[in-house]
């Protein structure tokens, strides 16, 4: 069945470092792809999305490109801040619902 | 602008007790979902309602029931709580069956002792 695999954390970086969180998916057809962020004690918030191959989603300095040939949707940010510390979830839409990866916890050190 | 509202935020139950988790959305969304979140497991879909009047099982439906009361409200019921149901429960809604993403509630932290 369809699934999402993302790198295990925690990922610890210093402020202003470059961030990459890897995400690959298995699916038939062309699902929509998403990144969600969860801050401590809160629900998930949609960070960005892409609905077709080669689309780039972006928001708050984060970017991810829908790569059909490598079935990937890696999350990147050029310069992270302490406030980016959170759990990040990669996800895909399929048959009326969304399938989530297990999440990657990100710690940013000042 | 409330979005998705879940009640209660916290609950402690004894094994065998029952309870209903409430969820309401004010965005006129068609689809609603219940997930549970456990450490190391990500989010797992319990039940969903693609549109008013329909409900379907997700990945982990055992021990739960749902009711789509109207377009706004989607409740989750635990008939006889078990310690394995200790989790954080999230309700979500979507305008178009998840294609544009979900809006999540802030969660209910449930402990079964």
């Amino acid at each position: 069945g369809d699934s999402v695999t993302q790198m295990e954390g925690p990922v610890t970086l210093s402020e202003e470092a470059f961030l990459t969180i890897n995400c690959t998916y298995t699916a038939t057809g062309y699902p929509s792809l998403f990144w969600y962020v969860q801050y401590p004690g809160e629900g998930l918030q949609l960070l960005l999305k892409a609905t077709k191959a080669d689309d780039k989603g972006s928001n708050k300095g984060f970017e991810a490109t829908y790569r059909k040939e490598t079935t990937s949707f890696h999350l990147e940010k050029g310069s992270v801040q302490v406030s980016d510390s959170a759990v990040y979830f990669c996800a895909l839409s399929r048959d009326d619902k969304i399938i989530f990866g297990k999440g990657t916890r990100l710690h940013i050190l000042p | 602008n409330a979005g998705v509202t879940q009640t209660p935020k916290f609950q402690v139950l004894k094994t065998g007790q029952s309870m209903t988790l409430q969820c309401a959305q004010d965005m006129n969304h068609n689809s609603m979902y219940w997930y549970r979140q456990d450490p190391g497991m990500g989010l797992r879909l319990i039940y969903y309602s693609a549109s008013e009047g329909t409900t379907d099982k997700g990945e982990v439906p055992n021990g739960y029931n749902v009711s789509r009361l109207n377009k706004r409200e989607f409740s989750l019921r635990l008939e006889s709580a078990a310690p394995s149901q200790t989790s954080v429960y999230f309700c979500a809604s979507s305008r178009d069956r998840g294609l544009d993403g979900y809006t999540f509630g802030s969660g209910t932290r449930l402990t079964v002792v």
Side-chain angles (χ1 to χ4, degrees):
Chain A
D2 297 351
S3 65
V4 175
T5 302
Q6 58 183 107
M7 62 190 293
E8 292 192 20
V11 174
T12 302
L13 296 172
S14 297
E15 202 166 24
E16 299 184 1
F18 184 86
L19 169 70
T20 300
I21 300 178
N22 291 335
C23 171
T24 57
Y25 67 91
T26 301
T28 55
Y30 298 91
S32 294
L33 300 176
F34 309 90
W35 277 100
Y36 282 83
V37 59
Q38 184 179 31
Y39 299 102
E42 299 183 9
L44 280 71
Q45 302 174 24
L46 180 62
L47 180 60
L48 54 83
K49 67 181 181 184
T51 58
K52 60 183 186 295
D54 299 324
D55 265 3
K56 177 183 284 188
S58 62
N59 186 25
K60 299 181 181 180
F62 291 90
E63 294 183 339
T65 301
Y66 191 142
R67 302 290 188 195
K68 181 67 176 175
E69 64 277 11
T70 55
T71 62
S72 65
F73 192 55
H74 304 321
L75 183 67
E76 297 181 336
K77 186 175 185 183
S79 176
V80 293
Q81 305 300 312
V82 172
S83 57
D84 293 327
S85 297
V87 181
Y88 292 81
F89 292 89
C90 185
L92 64 82
S93 67
R94 168 63 63 198
D95 296 335
D96 300 339
K97 52 190 177 288
I98 291 181
I99 297 168
F100 290 87
K102 293 186 177 182
T104 302
R105 185 174 298 276
L106 175 66
H107 293 292
I108 306 300
L109 304 175
Chain B
N1 189 10
V4 177
T5 303
Q6 290 183 237
T7 56
K9 293 190 181 302
F10 301 93
Q11 184 71 49
V12 178
L13 289 179
K14 294 182 179 179
T15 298
Q17 286 185 319
S18 62
M19 79 162 294
T20 300
L21 280 64
Q22 307 287 351
C23 175
Q25 52 90 9
D26 62 1
M27 297 169 288
N28 201 36
H29 284 176
N30 293 311
S31 305
M32 297 186 74
Y33 308 82
W34 277 104
Y35 284 85
R36 60 179 288 173
Q37 183 177 29
D38 302 292
M41 301 295 291
L43 278 83
R44 293 182 292 170
L45 182 63
I46 305 171
Y47 271 94
Y48 67 104
S49 172
S51 60
E52 186 179 0
T54 70
T55 60
D56 287 284
K57 295 178 180 179
E59 183 183 355
V60 288
N62 292 342
Y64 305 95
N65 285 299
V66 291
S67 295
R68 184 75 183 266
L69 304 169
N70 47 55
K71 191 171 186 179
R72 291 186 63 248
E73 299 174 285
F74 188 41
S75 62
L76 178 71
R77 182 160 179 85
L78 288 70
E79 291 291 351
S80 179
S84 61
Q85 294 178 305
T86 293
S87 187
V88 181
Y89 291 85
F90 288 102
C91 178
S93 69
S94 171
R95 180 174 57 85
D96 55 0
R97 300 172 182 257
L99 292 175
D100 267 356
Y102 293 167
T103 300
F104 279 86
S106 57
T108 296
R109 185 174 294 276
L110 175 66
T111 302
V112 183
V113 298

